[in-house]
């Protein structure tokens, strides 16, 4: 039986991932901001076959609270086979441009808090386990439309790359997940098109990447090719492109 920790468990992608593991009769510990939402998700997972579901409430911005919550997860699960860090916000770039406090707060939630959680997980897991973190294709190159968000995700991606190198010799896999456009409540106001994926499809891709112990997963996979093109546009030309 796998022991699964999911942080940011009330997000659409994380909830879909938790359903995949429930169908495998895994034990899950869910972490999120809303106790009421966690209770609803936990009840649903039990009906889907989860062996056991426990939860903790956490505001990820409160880094001092991380250690106690991770200790709760360890106590509940006994060990952590898979830890998925899936929290995040999608800030307005205009709001970040207008107020440095907003910009730093959003960078903290999407970048620093994620790094802090991954850092503290390393002392609580064992060989054979996986630390998976949802970053974003937005972290591959800064774009005028969301460069604050992208810079936070870029920091996460770079940190996870180094962590992957560090932990490989210990038999711990580190997976950086880079979704493209995903149709979730957080993106409800966005106009959708052919590049958009459902949360369920992205979740299936995440579970498959964890099973295969991959280091990086672009989801859907075509985003790898798209980002190779975007990353290699010369900077002088890139300044004139609106993305």
């Amino acid at each position: 039986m796998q022991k699964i920790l999911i942080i940011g468990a009330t997000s659409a992608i994380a909830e879909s991932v938790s359903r995949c593991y429930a169908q495998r009769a895994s034990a899950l510990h869910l972490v999120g901001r809303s106790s009421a939402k966690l209770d609803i998700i936990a009840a649903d997972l039990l009906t889907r076959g989860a062996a056991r579901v426990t939860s903790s409430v956490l505001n990820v911005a409160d880094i001092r609270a991380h250690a106690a919550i991770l200790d709760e997860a360890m106590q509940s699960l006994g060990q952590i086979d898979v830890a998925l860090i899936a929290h995040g916000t999608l800030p307005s770039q205009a709001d970040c441009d207008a107020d440095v406090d907003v910009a730093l707060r959003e960078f903290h939630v999407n970048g620093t808090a994620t790094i802090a959680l991954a850092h503290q997980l390393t002392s609580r897991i064992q060989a054979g386990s996986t630390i998976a973190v949802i970053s974003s294709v937005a972290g591959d190159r800064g774009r005028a439309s969301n460069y604050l968000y992208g810079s936070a995700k870029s920091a996460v991606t770079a940190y996870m790359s180094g962590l992957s190198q560090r932990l490989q010799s210990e038999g711990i896999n580190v997976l950086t997940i880079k979704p493209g456009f995903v149709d979730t409540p957080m993106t409800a106001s966005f106009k959708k098109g052919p590049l958009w994926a459902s949360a369920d499809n992205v979740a299936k891709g995440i579970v498959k990447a964890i099973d295969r112990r991959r280091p990086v997963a672009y989801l859907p996979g075509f985003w790898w090719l798209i980002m190779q093109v975007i990353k290699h546009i010369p900077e002088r030309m890139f300044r004139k492109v609106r993305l």
Side-chain angles (χ1 to χ4, degrees):
M1 177 177 65
Q2 285 185 299
K3 312 289 184 66
I4 313 297
L5 168 63
I6 300 182
I7 300 170
T10 59
S11 70
I13 294 174
E15 186 175 355
S16 292
V17 170
S18 68
R19 290 173 181 165
C20 294
Y21 282 111
Q23 291 170 357
R24 296 183 177 186
S26 302
L28 296 102
H29 188 83
L30 310 178
V31 177
R33 288 184 299 173
S34 169
S35 177
K37 288 182 180 179
L38 289 170
D39 288 345
I40 292 170
I41 294 171
D44 176 68
L45 295 178
L46 289 170
T47 66
R48 293 174 184 269
R52 185 174 68 256
V53 184
T54 52
S55 64
S56 301
V57 175
L58 173 68
N59 175 0
V60 295
D62 184 4
I63 289 179
R64 292 182 180 180
H66 289 186
I69 294 300
L70 294 177
D71 287 343
E72 279 186 25
M74 284 293 295
Q75 185 175 5
S76 174
L77 295 172
Q79 70 177 43
I80 298 171
D81 297 316
V82 175
L84 173 64
I85 302 175
H87 71 270
T89 61
L90 190 59
S92 159
Q93 184 59 51
D95 291 344
C96 293
D97 290 342
D99 189 332
V100 67
D101 290 332
V102 172
L104 293 177
R105 182 189 70 212
E106 296 296 340
F107 188 96
H108 176 66
V109 170
N110 290 291
T112 312
T114 302
I115 290 170
L117 283 163
H119 177 84
Q120 295 196 69
L121 275 167
T122 61
S123 62
R124 293 171 169 84
I125 55 176
Q126 67 292 323
S129 62
T130 294
I131 300 175
V133 171
I134 297 181
S135 183
S136 173
V137 296
D140 281 7
R141 191 163 194 179
R143 297 177 294 123
S145 60
N146 67 350
Y147 62 90
L148 189 286
Y149 175 77
S151 66
K153 294 300 187 180
S154 179
V156 169
T157 294
Y159 179 87
M160 296 299 287
S161 177
L163 189 65
S164 179
Q165 284 190 317
R166 173 192 156 198
L167 296 181
Q168 183 181 21
S169 63
E170 299 178 26
I172 297 169
N173 190 50
V174 174
L175 168 63
T176 304
I177 302 154
K178 297 183 179 183
F181 301 136
V182 186
D183 189 0
T184 69
M186 192 164 65
T187 59
S189 63
F190 288 65
K191 183 179 179 180
K192 308 302 188 293
L195 296 181
W196 286 77
S198 69
D200 286 344
N201 284 339
V202 170
K204 290 175 183 176
I206 289 172
V207 174
K208 183 181 293 185
I210 291 170
D211 288 345
R212 294 181 176 178
R213 297 183 67 79
R214 291 178 58 187
V216 179
Y218 284 85
L219 296 172
F222 59 73
W223 278 100
W224 179 85
L225 181 58
I226 292 173
M227 295 315 299
Q228 293 309 302
V229 173
I230 290 175
K231 286 192 294 184
H232 287 91
I233 298 173
E235 193 66 30
R236 187 176 295 274
M237 185 183 300
F238 191 71
R239 291 181 183 180
K240 301 176 183 179
V241 177
R242 288 301 170 192
L243 293 173

